[in-house]
Amino acid sequence: MAIIKCPECGRQISDKAPACPNCGVPIAGKIVKCPQCGEIYFKDQEMCPNCHHLTPRGETLVKGNVGNTSLNSNGAPQSSGIEAAQRTESSQPERRMSQPPTPPRTGNSYQKTQDRNAQHTMSPKPSDRQKPEAAPKSHSALIIAFVLAVLACGICFYFYNSSKNSKEEEAYEFAMNSDDPTVLQTYLDTNPDAPEAHRDSVEARLESLKQTDIDWTNAVVSGSRTALEDYLTKHPNSEHKADALHKIDSLDWIDATNGNSEQSYSTYLSEHANGEYVDQANNALKALKAKTVQPEEKTMVRAVFRHFFQAINAKNEDGLTATVAPLMSNFLGKTDATRADVAVFLSKIYKNDISNMNWHINNDYKISKKEVGDEEYQYNATFSAVQKVDKVDGSSVNTRFNIKATIGPDGLISSMSMTKILE
């Protein structure tokens, strides 16, 4: 390969180039180097434009013109313009050396002859005049073809680049919405020419996910509720969020079962309304409630006995019988006692020598309960009470009793016994 000048525009190009990149004229296989002067010109030219050395094609044309020699005005053979030019050029030095200078001639005939010879020598044949016009037409066609090719390449490149950018944008969106480090790394590996802003964002997210994994590992290894809660605070949208909540739920359930109290189970239920152990917590809480008297239940039991003794103090038969069941299993030693039996007790307790009676209940309740139905309970209470009796003669007597009683699910006294405590 050699660097040459384009015969058309003079630009430096390779002799192997299909066409000149500047003017578009064909180069490879279309040029020849003059063996005499080294000038580069097109093969279809008949002679070197620099030294007029004939090309093989020009020599062929000259040989063809020998058989077509015409006669001049004097009847002598007349050579072609190319032969005359070569003969004239080759004979000029010899003439100058062998012949003395010829004085200038005058006259119209001589001038006309000189003009005619010069015109015949310098004027190319009709075929020679037409050939140079073919080159511009060929060059124009090549230029147009080259422009069209460039335009087609540009359009193809535009659509290719648009498609490539679209695919990169889709890959970027997918990577940024993924929590899988492998997806993010794949984007970076397959899109090395992506916009710097995209690559920076993906790299930052990849580092964030790696740090999230490190924090998750540390939280799991610690095994503490606090570490897991701290992890969720730092990474609220982590892919490990569900696992962290599950572990916290399990730890709280273990704490609830270790406490095995209404408070511990109630705390678990309040913090994990949708926890995995809600059913177990409710069952455990129900079992405990079946055995444990709640504060509101204690209040109810005390209120029933207070009303009972207030009715006695006021000799209120209706108020007294309203606190007991229609049929009592035992009332002061009488089995299957009725409300009428309770009314008889009220009339007997007030003797003729009693002017006033006042029962005072001591705050020494011991209450237990037993489940007798689905969330229906029977309450057993033990407490002491002091009976103060004022007599007509002005004296008073205080007697202390130990009382055992049962209250049914309906909130009525179903049995009662009283034992006098000797001081």
Side-chain angles (χ1 to χ4, degrees), residues 66-331:
V66 171
N68 297 327
T69 303
S70 60
L71 298 177
N72 57 18
S73 59
N74 297 324
Q78 181 173 318
S79 302
S80 66
I82 295 175
E83 288 179 333
Q86 288 182 337
R87 208 168 33 246
T88 301
E89 290 179 1
S90 61
S91 61
Q92 284 294 338
E94 183 179 355
R95 287 180 182 178
R96 282 194 295 268
M97 295 180 65
S98 61
Q99 296 181 4
T102 303
R105 299 180 182 180
T106 59
N108 292 333
S109 61
Y110 177 76
Q111 185 65 36
K112 290 179 180 180
T113 301
Q114 290 286 47
D115 293 341
R116 193 163 47 246
N117 291 338
Q119 183 177 4
H120 179 75
T121 302
M122 300 303 295
S123 299
K125 295 185 296 182
S127 60
D128 294 336
R129 287 196 300 270
Q130 294 176 358
K131 288 185 181 298
E133 295 179 0
K137 292 181 180 179
S138 176
H139 296 167
S140 300
L142 289 173
I143 292 173
I144 294 173
F146 178 76
V147 171
L148 292 176
V150 171
L151 182 61
C153 291
I155 294 174
C156 292
F157 176 77
Y158 171 78
F159 284 107
Y160 167 78
N161 195 50
S162 298
S163 176
K164 181 180 179 181
N165 291 339
S166 177
K167 290 181 179 179
E168 185 277 330
E169 186 69 28
E170 292 177 0
Y172 170 73
E173 293 293 337
F174 179 75
M176 291 301 292
N177 291 326
S178 174
D179 293 328
D180 187 354
T182 304
V183 174
L184 296 169
Q185 188 60 53
T186 300
Y187 170 84
L188 294 175
D189 294 340
T190 56
N191 295 277
D193 299 328
E196 185 176 356
H198 284 189
R199 289 185 61 84
D200 290 345
S201 298
V202 171
E203 288 175 352
R205 179 161 178 75
L206 182 59
E207 289 300 320
S208 176
L209 288 177
K210 290 180 179 178
Q211 185 60 47
T212 299
D213 288 340
I214 293 174
D215 293 343
W216 170 243
T217 300
N218 294 335
V220 172
V221 170
S222 71
S224 70
R225 188 181 198 275
T226 302
L228 292 168
E229 288 178 339
D230 290 343
Y231 172 81
L232 290 176
T233 301
K234 291 174 61 178
H235 310 286
N237 298 319
S238 168
E239 62 175 335
H240 302 296
K241 181 178 181 179
D243 293 335
L245 292 175
H246 168 73
K247 290 183 179 297
I248 291 174
D249 182 75
S250 298
L251 291 173
D252 286 350
W253 173 243
I254 292 173
D255 291 341
T257 55
N258 288 339
N260 194 30
S261 65
E262 292 183 40
Q263 181 63 35
S264 64
Y265 291 124
S266 297
T267 300
Y268 172 83
L269 290 172
S270 64
E271 294 180 356
H272 303 277
N274 298 317
E276 296 182 31
Y277 306 96
V278 168
D279 292 340
Q280 293 93 317
N282 282 324
N283 292 335
L285 188 60
K286 181 179 177 181
L288 283 176
K289 286 183 176 180
K291 299 177 182 179
T292 306
V293 180
Q294 304 302 309
E296 62 272 15
E297 293 174 321
K298 291 180 180 180
T299 300
M300 180 272 295
V301 170
R302 291 172 180 174
V304 170
F305 292 117
R306 185 172 62 252
H307 293 158
F308 177 85
F309 286 104
Q310 284 177 350
I312 293 176
N313 294 338
K315 292 192 290 188
N316 182 355
E317 182 179 324
D318 292 337
L320 180 63
T321 57
T323 62
V324 299
L327 183 64
M328 302 174 67
S329 61
N330 176 59
F331 181 71

